Amino acid sequence: MGILEKISEIEKEIARTQKNKATEYHLGLLKAKLAKYRAQLIEGPKTAGTKGEGFDVMKSGDARVAMIGFPSVGKSTLLNKVTKTHSESASYEFTTLTCIPGVIEYNGSNIQLLDLPGIIEGAAAGKGRGRQVIAVARTADMILMMLDATKGEIQKELLTKELEAVGIRLNRRKPNIYFKAKKGGGLSITATCALSHLNDKLINLILHEYKIFNGELLFREDATADDLIDIIVGNRIYMRCIYCFNKIDCVSMEEVDRLARQPDSVVTCCELDLNMDGLLEAIWEYLALVRVFTKKRGSPPDFEDGIILRRGATIEHVVHAIHRQLLSSFKYAVIWGASAKHSPQRVGLSHLICHDDVVQIIKK
């Protein structure tokens, strides 16, 4: 029996098993086995052979956004509208057969947008070049999930399921669980809060499935069996995602209003240029980018060429972005903008910056 057949059998077993106190250990074990087989499926056979054809796209710009969606939902049309790149778009499915990169120029930043081929149900198992598409998505900073507004939320559920199967967790944070495998000493399981979904027996069953008999485990939140498996496997990616419902000109105003109120959702019509500014603003917000302007002593600020950094960056990050060797001769910085208590304010390396701040670096 191959890996795909084993995965299918376990999924059927989970579906037909009732969820109650008596079956929680059995379900926990099945979930652990399922995660293990899926990891083997992603890694592929370990034997040497011919290298498969992938989408080799160099990462460039300040951030990378991967567009994922079923065929003919408007991915190529969006790329043509918001970038200077041309991607073939037509009314038939699978118009795009390879990865086409474009660059969004917004707020002085260059955001790389990847137009990936449409994926189909079963992509996680390798159907329709699904593995290559998902492998590129794992390298992105954010996922833009293109959906057909006329199909409701069916596509959203199917795509989320495919990405979950390969270890991509959308709009979720990493579980607050500390785990360290050791060579001896047995298992040490502690929790700083009450665990309503797990107990020592279930935790031991899951760890033993992964051949872990010695280690330290600390729960800082009420976690589930799936959260524990994600921490043990260790290759999960937690990523922000925008659900973009396209073709809103084909549905009623009531349906548009309902879709727009869904969490992490944006409604657009790429063909008629409806709400394209709102989509770009949402991409900027979800990527958590900030722009900083520099100023020379005795000169006005340079508003033409800003420095693009991540939210939570400090003056030290600004200094590194200007020049790596500038840090050794740094004395202090003078800052104007939202992060300053009074303008101008003299600050050190640990000062947090805000969007559109103006920074002047003073050297020793």
Side-chain angles (χ1 to χ4, degrees):
M1 189 185 285
I3 293 176
L4 282 173
E5 288 81 7
K6 288 178 181 176
I7 289 172
S8 178
E9 285 296 319
I10 293 172
E11 284 176 342
K12 287 174 186 174
E13 178 73 16
I14 291 172
R16 64 173 174 257
T17 303
Q18 290 185 347
K19 293 174 178 66
N20 53 48
K21 283 283 182 184
T23 61
E24 64 179 7
Y25 303 117
H26 180 59
L27 282 170
L29 200 59
L30 288 174
K31 285 176 181 177
K33 285 181 178 177
L34 185 63
K36 196 161 69 170
Y37 286 136
R38 278 177 175 165
Q40 289 175 15
L41 188 67
I42 297 164
E43 289 165 8
K46 303 230 172 152
T47 55
T50 56
K51 190 178 178 183
E53 187 186 349
F55 302 134
D56 190 16
V57 180
M58 183 182 285
K59 198 167 185 176
S60 65
D62 301 299
R64 171 183 271 196
V65 178
M67 267 196 295
I68 283 185
F70 284 105
S72 288
V73 291
K75 297 188 296 296
S76 299
T77 308
L78 177 65
L79 187 82
N80 294 337
K81 293 283 183 182
V82 299
T83 72
K84 294 175 182 175
T85 308
H86 176 71
S87 179
E88 189 67 33
S89 58
S91 58
Y92 55 87
E93 295 186 347
F94 297 106
T95 316
T96 306
L97 298 173
T98 186
C99 179
I100 299 172
V103 177
I104 301 172
E105 294 176 359
Y106 187 76
N107 276 349
S109 68
N110 292 324
I111 301 167
Q112 188 182 43
L113 182 66
L114 301 180
D115 179 16
L116 295 167
I119 64 176
I120 57 175
E121 200 174 347
K127 287 184 183 177
R129 301 196 78 183
R131 257 189 233 169
Q132 292 99 317
V133 172
I134 290 169
V136 173
R138 286 176 70 92
T139 66
D141 298 301
M142 194 197 87
I143 286 177
L144 179 62
M145 191 182 287
M146 291 296 291
L147 305 164
D148 192 337
T150 60
K151 304 282 177 65
E153 294 175 41
I154 301 166
Q155 292 186 341
K156 176 181 170 181
E157 292 166 8
L158 290 170
L159 285 171
T160 303
K161 185 182 173 186
E162 292 296 330
L163 294 173
E164 287 268 339
V166 293
I168 298 175
R169 305 287 181 257
L170 301 178
N171 295 325
R172 280 166 53 186
R173 60 176 181 79
K174 190 176 180 181
N176 197 355
I177 303 170
Y178 170 77
F179 171 70
K180 185 179 180 182
K182 294 183 176 179
K183 292 182 179 178
L187 286 169
S188 168
I189 302 168
T190 51
T192 58
C193 60
L195 299 177
S196 59
H197 307 286
L198 293 167
N199 56 37
D200 285 359
K201 184 181 176 183
L202 180 54
I203 293 167
N204 279 300
L205 271 173
I206 293 169
L207 290 170
H208 291 171
E209 179 61 33
Y210 284 92
K211 305 290 189 292
I212 297 169
F213 303 100
N214 302 288
E216 189 180 345
L217 196 60
L218 172 61
F219 292 90
R220 296 192 184 96
E221 64 178 28
D222 187 12
T224 62
D226 292 320
D227 293 335
L228 176 58
I229 290 165
D230 286 351
I231 292 296
I232 294 167
V233 174
N235 64 351
R236 305 301 191 231
I237 293 175
Y238 299 85
M239 203 177 291
R240 296 304 304 272
C241 174
I242 293 176
Y243 304 106
C244 179
F245 290 94
N246 191 26
K247 304 182 184 179
I248 57 170
D249 56 320
C250 301
V251 296
S252 65
M253 281 300 295
E254 290 77 13
E255 180 66 7
V256 172
D257 185 58
R258 189 187 69 82
L259 293 173
R261 292 178 188 278
Q262 299 290 325
D264 309 305
S265 297
V266 177
V267 291
T268 61
C269 178
C270 299
E271 203 63 47
L272 301 176
D273 282 344
L274 297 178
N275 199 30
M276 301 304 287
D277 292 339
L279 177 61
L280 293 177
E281 191 179 329
I283 289 172
W284 173 271
E285 187 64 31
Y286 274 61
L287 285 170
L289 298 175
V290 292
R291 178 180 57 186
V292 178
F293 299 108
T294 54
K295 178 187 178 302
K296 290 181 181 178
R297 185 180 284 181
S299 303
D302 180 16
F303 289 119
E304 293 295 321
D305 190 18
I307 298 170
I308 306 298
L309 298 164
R310 297 283 171 166
R311 196 179 298 149
T314 61
I315 293 293
E316 188 174 355
H317 294 100
V318 176
V319 173
H320 271 292
I322 295 169
H323 199 280
R324 288 180 302 178
Q325 295 178 352
L326 185 61
L327 195 65
S328 58
S329 58
F330 174 84
K331 188 176 182 182
Y332 64 89
V334 180
I335 194 161
W336 293 259
S339 71
K341 291 179 182 176
H342 47 83
S343 291
Q345 182 186 354
R346 180 171 163 170
V347 296
L349 287 172
S350 60
H351 178 80
L352 286 170
I353 57 167
C354 290
H355 184 56
D356 282 350
D357 276 355
V358 176
V359 179
Q360 179 183 329
I361 305 297
I362 307 298
K363 292 165 47 173
K364 290 175 185 174

